[in-house]
Amino acid sequence: MSDFSSSTLRKAAALVMAAGLMLAADLFGPGEAAAQLTRKGAVSPADVSNSGPDEGAAAQLTPLGAVSPADVSNPRPDAGDIVLPMPCGLSLALRPAAVPVDGLLKDFETRLGSAEQRPHGYYDRQFVGFIASPLRLKDLPAAWRDRVKKQLADHSGGHIFLIGKYEVSVAQWEAVMGECGPLQSHSAAPKTDVAWYEAVAFTEKYMNWLLEHAPESLPAFADDPKNIGFLRLPTEAEWEYAARGGHAVSSD
């Protein structure tokens, strides 16, 4: 992430090499959501005519913009997700990315960017990136290992980093940087208009919260358990490498 000013916070978090890369849940804006209603449990005319008072109540109307903690944290959950707790009962979903290297101080060279000629080719140019991570499978919390191993079944040995599955939502940002409050129609939207220094402050504050409230949820070196994994913003190379599919996708 080279430019954060006035752009979507593409994940102010991801373990060891954090950040995010997928689209958050689609929601109406605050004004639209309040004005629209949808039927919960759509029914046919036959259902209504043959139902009693109690059954008919199941077709109650609910606001289309209503959101839940799952909507703002992990709207499309998967069995392979790695989930960290957050303040206010929220969570942060992460996905693993493998780095095919065989040493703590080694890095993986990959080609990133685009070879296509574009109007802003200087910014989208192809370039060589270097990816590294100190974590290995044995360094991860026991609850994570099977999930990560299944996802990276074709990745024997090597190192791993985890990156945010989605952009940081408005609700997640407010939970870390502000106070817990009721979820609103815009709470699941990505947090925008964030300066780089503010994003760094978010990762620092969230990391301190994890150390105080859920230290067992963080990875640590198997040979040195006092040396733990930490949250930070990803580099441009790390973000694009993970977004492309990591080691499973050729850099060509």
Side-chain angles (χ1 to χ4, degrees), residues 52-202:
D54 292 337
E55 294 173 17
Q60 59 185 319
L61 294 176
T62 57
L64 185 59
V67 294
S68 67
D71 293 328
V72 302
S73 299
N74 192 7
R76 295 181 178 86
D78 183 85
D81 292 341
I82 302 300
V83 179
L84 286 176
M86 295 189 80
C88 308
L90 304 184
S91 60
L92 178 74
L94 304 169
R95 302 291 290 186
V99 183
V101 295
D102 58 3
L104 181 65
L105 299 179
K106 294 186 178 181
D107 50 33
F108 175 65
E109 181 178 326
T110 183
R111 194 176 300 276
L112 302 169
S114 175
E116 298 179 10
Q117 295 295 322
R118 300 181 181 180
H120 301 289
Y122 176 78
Y123 301 101
D124 297 327
R125 73 194 187 287
Q126 201 165 39
F127 65 97
V128 174
F130 296 90
I131 314 296
S133 175
L135 292 177
R136 297 154 297 176
L137 190 65
K138 67 178 183 178
D139 300 323
L140 304 181
W144 297 9
R145 291 174 198 159
D146 286 343
R147 275 173 277 173
V148 171
K149 195 172 183 179
K150 288 178 182 178
Q151 293 179 70
L152 306 178
D154 59 337
H155 175 61
S156 58
H159 293 247
I160 300 162
F161 70 87
L162 295 111
I163 191 162
K165 184 178 176 181
Y166 311 96
E167 299 91 346
V168 168
S169 68
V170 171
Q172 289 172 314
W173 177 272
E174 292 176 348
V176 172
M177 303 297 283
E179 298 179 354
C180 300
L183 297 178
Q184 302 178 31
S185 58
H186 66 286
S187 296
K191 176 63 180 176
T192 60
D193 298 321
V194 177
W196 184 83
Y197 289 106
E198 292 175 303
V200 170
F202 174 90

